[in-house]
Amino acid sequence: MRQNEINLLLQYPENSAGSIMTAEYMALKKHMTVEEAFAYIRDNGVNKETIYTCYVTDERRALEGVVTVKDLLMNPYEARLSDIMDPYVIKASTTEDQEEVAEKFTRYDLLSLPVVDGENRLVGIVTVDDIVDVMEQEATEDFEKMAAMVPSEKPYLKTSVFMLARNRIMWLLILMVSSMITGGILARYENAFAVIPLLVTFIPMLTDTGGNAGSQSSTLIIRGMAVGEIEPTDIFRVLWKELRVGMVVGMILSLVNYVQLVIRFPGNERICLTVVVSLFATVLLAKAAGSILPMAARLMRLDPAIMAAPLITTIVDAFSLVIYFQIACRLLSLT
Amino acid sequence: MRQNEINLLLQYPENSAGSIMTAEYMALKKHMTVEEAFAYIRDNGVNKETIYTCYVTDERRALEGVVTVKDLLMNPYEARLSDIMDPYVIKASTTEDQEEVAEKFTRYDLLSLPVVDGENRLVGIVTVDDIVDVMEQEATEDFEKMAAMVPSEKPYLKTSVFMLARNRIMWLLILMVSSMITGGILARYENAFAVIPLLVTFIPMLTDTGGNAGSQSSTLIIRGMAVGEIEPTDIFRVLWKELRVGMVVGMILSLVNYVQLVIRFPGNERICLTVVVSLFATVLLAKAAGSILPMAARLMRLDPAIMAAPLITTIVDAFSLVIYFQIACRLLSLT
């Protein structure tokens, strides 16, 4: 924690490798023998963050290799570090984002990672226990962003009411104004539901189902990109997959809906048909929007997390109502 | 990975400590000296998952203590393990859930954790690199559950269309049927919007804002409980906090809304008032539901993640419409 404060004083960018590293690493020299290395570790290891991964540096602190205590134990006492060290070191630069650093830990199963400056000089190490905290923090931030909030720095119970409100109000305002557009669309079809008030009662079912179907897609895609399972170049593959999923779930939802509609509203076959055709189209549209928009955001170098459930829901709402009333006007011969 | 398969054959419960552990641990005896321990590690350490944390066991494999390679290095060669080992070992039982195991790693900054059976016999260890994977997987599962999906076993691109559809359809059906209840509420107020069609155009704004406000709360609370920052016993503290946040954001949203309403619909002051009073009440209600329901689920030993955005939105939708039309009927003297 103290080290973090020092790093902050040195003004490494927030959430960079430099801001989470510690300078308490174990540095060895390549001319040392295993026996000398052990003696050196015994004398200098007490306060190091970890001694299990040691870094071999030259006189100007440039990183030359890595050697683990396991390597030392598995080699004879007289072996030289230059012979047993691994010169190909997985490392991070001070300005690298902590999310990329975390990805290196998961990909290579690391216990620690050296951090070097622009001239390959070792300035610190990041250890796996810090990365566990970083991963938890990054996941929490994604949850917050995807629920339309500005991520909080502090744990919930320690955040003030004012700060919580501040983190939430911006997106609530943006989404409220956006949903007024949806309201404006409804206003244009006032005649339709003045003639057939029954049409209004299916709006929540239609918009909610569209929102849920779209949120499912966008959540999977955003998370898939965050953990590196989905790349922006997969966009057409993902869209095609989501459209097929949309067909399957859209069919089932429409079928269930149709059955209960004809039972509840006998003699209103055309209204029932309007509702289920709109439902099917809405689900397809929602799956398409939920998969394309997060990937498009990433391609435009925006944070895909903004294209999560709240915004997707608002967008799908508007389009699903247009679809609904267009189909209604045609099938029910309204103007 | 092979070890996992063996563990599965031994039928440890899914996602338990037993199912993620490896039997490749380093066991030492307490009569050994440091020198003997090093010799033993040199001879037997090559294939061990980790040698840095060694476990001291008796002849029937019962766990007696833990000693790290750092302890060994920092003590004289002739010291006995019985004198330098730590007899208070943080451990897990084979049936313990992997989420609890992950929590022990984060709380105590562990590199590995011993897993014991019902008779305190050491059967395996879990290492931090496996826990990093577990944490990522658990976070992904929470994202999926909170977006109304059954968690998937496989990465998105490797999951079949049929399986994706199967994971999504159940919640879509449940939520679709629930939103029909909301539709039923609307049907009861047909007269109201037959008289004043304008009322309908504010429904999306009202229900969307309610849904978003509630999702913000439920997301923070569910995530807070998942990472152990919020306990179910904090329920009243959390509710009081959310109500105050709801007051602040509700006020701001209502004010912004009122200003634009009186500009857009001059001469309709009563309708404008109906909308903003309903909006304020909806936001308060959403914040209350979004905070109480996930905590109540936990108290009832259900998974709080089911009380996430989709269900909260559906519940808030129904209540916000009741509030809206009740206020409308009173303020606008409708029947």
Side-chain angles (χ1 to χ4, degrees), chain A residues 42 52 70 73 106 132 136 140 148 156-157 159 168 180 183 208 216 223 241-242 260 287 317, chain B residues 42 52 70 73 106 132 136 140 148 156-157 159 168 180 201 208 216 223 241-242 260 287 317:
Chain A
R42 276 170 178 268
Y52 300 133
K70 188 169 183 176
L73 279 172
T106 47
V132 165
E136 199 166 278
T140 298
Y156 173 80
L157 289 175
T159 314
R168 300 182 197 182
M180 284 171 188
D208 281 3
Q216 289 180 332
R223 179 66 185 163
K241 197 158 202 165
E242 286 302 306
Q260 67 95 22
K287 291 292 181 199
D317 270 12
Chain B
R42 277 170 177 268
Y52 299 133
K70 187 169 183 177
L73 279 172
T106 47
V132 165
E136 198 165 279
T140 298
Y156 174 81
L157 289 175
T159 313
R168 299 182 197 181
M180 285 173 187
T201 63
D208 281 3
Q216 289 179 332
R223 179 66 184 164
K241 197 157 202 163
E242 285 302 305
Q260 70 94 22
K287 291 292 182 197
D317 270 12

Side-chain angles (χ1 to χ4, degrees), chain A residues 304-321:
Chain A
I306 60 165
M307 289 299 178
L311 196 56
I312 294 288
T313 301
T314 307
I315 294 169
V316 172
D317 270 12
F319 284 96
S320 66
L321 288 179

Side-chain angles (χ1 to χ4, degrees), chain B residues 12 16 52 55 60 123 132 139 181 189 203 212-213 236 269 284 297 306 308 310 313 333:
Chain B
Y12 288 112
S16 67
Y52 299 133
Y55 299 98
R60 44 175 285 283
V123 287
V132 165
I181 299 171
Y189 295 100
I203 291 178
N212 291 329
F236 294 109
E269 277 74 22
L284 269 195
I306 60 165
T313 300
S333 322

Side-chain angles (χ1 to χ4, degrees), chain B residues 54-67:
Chain B
C54 304
Y55 299 98
V56 179
T57 56
D58 68 11
E59 59 291 334
R60 44 175 285 283
R61 251 185 32 237
L63 187 59
E64 294 183 305
V66 60
V67 64

